[in-house]
Amino acid sequence: MSSSPALPLAFDETRRHGGLLSGLLSSDLPRSRALSFILLAIFVLLAATPFLFSGSQPVGTAAKICVFIVLVASYDLLLGYSGIVSFAHTMFFGIGGYGIAIALERVGPTWSSAAIGLAAALALSAVLAIAIGLLSLRVRAIFFSMITLAVASAAAVLASQLSDITGGEDGLSFQLPPALRPAFRLFSEQVLGITVNGRLLAYYLVFFVSLVVFLLLLRIVNSPFGRVLQAIRENEFRAEALGYRVVAYRTAASVISALAATIAGALMALWLRYNGPDTTLSFSIMIDILLMVVIGGMGTMYGAVIGAAVFVLAQSYLQVLMGAGSAALAGIPLLPNLIHPDRWLLWLGALFIISVYAFPGGIVGRLRQGKA
Amino acid sequence: MSDMAVESTAPAELPRAKTDWLPLLLVPALGLLALPFVGSPSTWVTLTVAGLAMGMMIFLMASGLTLVFGLMDIINFGHGVFISLGAYATLLVLGPLAGWALEDSIGLNLALLGLCILVAMGVTALAGAVFERVIVRPVYGSHLKQILVTMGGLIVTEQLIHAIWGASPIPIPLPQSLRGAFVFGDIVMERYRVVAVVIGLTVFIGMQLLLNRTRIGLLIRAGVENPEMVEALGYRIRRLFVSVFIAGSALAGLGGVMWAFYRQTLTAGMGMEVMVLVFIVIIIGGLGSVGGCFVGSILVALVANYVGFIEPKLALISNILVMALVLIWRPQGLFPVARR
């Protein structure tokens, strides 16, 4: 496992100490002007979406980006920082979603039942992550990948079959606590031309929780613990020889990542007021996460932000572009099929392969290199 | 399976490698264990034959993957797409020869199946060669990149299948005389499953003979043990690698044809769906072991069938349970391959 993605370890001299921003970002600054600009733009746009765009689609897209930033960042902790490929990440995402959905649907739409659901989901995720880690992380990395794939598929089958609990293929729709419902008004007047209703509060709940979890993950990868993970990724044998218990560190990383994914799942369910196999558990979401991490940039955390934003935007808007292109090429054999709107994944897949070969640092690595 | 043991009569100059009997005994032991729970013997025979057939189909799909891993230390997460590709390749034959499937003549029907298999293996062998060259070759030696890049190859190839054959599922007819079942008293054996058992056994015995009795098999086994040494002795290990990868892809294509006729519908995702089972099987068997893959396939399929009959809800996770039990007993799989 010595040749993991050629990523520079994040040590560098330009690190400044002190300063509020630097503190918030755990001294892991973007280190590229273009990257800083893009990240700032994404942050501002996400923070102000409800005030900038009207209609429900932009806000929905923004909420999805927030959730996926957390999900992808937590996956990056595994893939990019620890060099472990897990296919069970959607399982933890799903556990979070089902935790909220089942609690709110069964116990009632209150904050306390949401808290119970989330706590139960976190506990289940932690136990599962520890079990999988201890069973398979001590053998070889590929074992872990295959076993997580098997476990995740079993979880998906279970969720769709145990329909008494999970609602089966139909999933569960549920009511949110009153403060998050569209009918709720925080103020009687409008603020900046916008009615402050429960939907807006729900969006900001998603936004701020995502932000906090992302900053926490950034803190974790820049802590001594994160440094050990990177050392294990670079040279497992040497890290073990230095006295670090590789299995323990890897298991801890997979637990942290699972917990963050569970929170992301809970946010997703809260935002959609629904959870089902297709929104959180399906294998295609797993593939989406992989694409986002690699295209954004493995082992950078900021790659998660860019990857998620680019991917979700492409998912929502690239298809329109491709539809136009496909129509323009009508009449030529096969070509219109290749840029048919439904084939957008083909091109992202190709981009993914090229990324793995040519720029293992993804978009973020590219931008940082451009600066140097 | 007996052909592995009868060879001890030859005047051996070197001590023969001991056959590991315990995992082999696992299969009959499991069958006997299930008998009292199933109850009626005729149901038991029906379940067992059906399970064996399913096991053979899984073996056909998994054998290529485990062989490639054993020799090249490459884990191909895109293996499933060769299964799908093999399945779709049947359309190339079924298109012009659709009439053959409707004739009620066993000869013509089997010829059609054979032709489908040949064409599918040809297509997947070609695709395998391209896949090896474009996707896999740049990442020899790095498992992490292999997993990522072969997943990428899987996505792209699946999308290409969609682009060429369309995104909606395609029904394919099972040839007329392979439908229905043989009935002996209370025992029911689906005809197609019998065909699957015959083909699976043929491939397994063929592979065993090739690996254990021929020069090329000797080289492959030596390559699994120590590729540098084989290369140092003047053999082109790369050429061997590539041909094994191509053969592995063709085997997946063969498995894909059998699987497609069993499901009687084609979807681009069908290969990836079955990959979970394939991974479980090769983990159980021991990564890189063809014999282990064979035993593992039968074991998984039999357990799924018995448990499905006795306690249907449990069947969904029976595969995982079998895998966990086997790994607790032998962490490297039933037949651990040396060096790894």
Side-chain angles (χ1 to χ4, degrees), chain A residues 5 140 146 337 343 352 357, chain B residues 135 142-144 148 159 163 279:
Chain A
R140 306 183 64 206
M146 291 193 273
N337 276 350
R343 297 286 82 76
F352 173 87
Y357 288 150
Chain B
I135 306 273
S142 162
H143 279 151
L144 186 88
L148 294 179
Q159 293 294 320
F279 280 133

Side-chain angles (χ1 to χ4, degrees), chain A residues 250-283:
Chain A
R250 280 193 171 151
T251 308
S254 76
V255 171
I256 294 171
S257 144
L259 292 181
T262 309
I263 295 175
L267 291 177
M268 194 75 192
L270 275 180
W271 174 253
L272 294 175
R273 290 169 287 177
Y274 163 82
N275 190 54
D278 290 338
T279 55
T280 48
L281 272 181
S282 76
F283 188 69

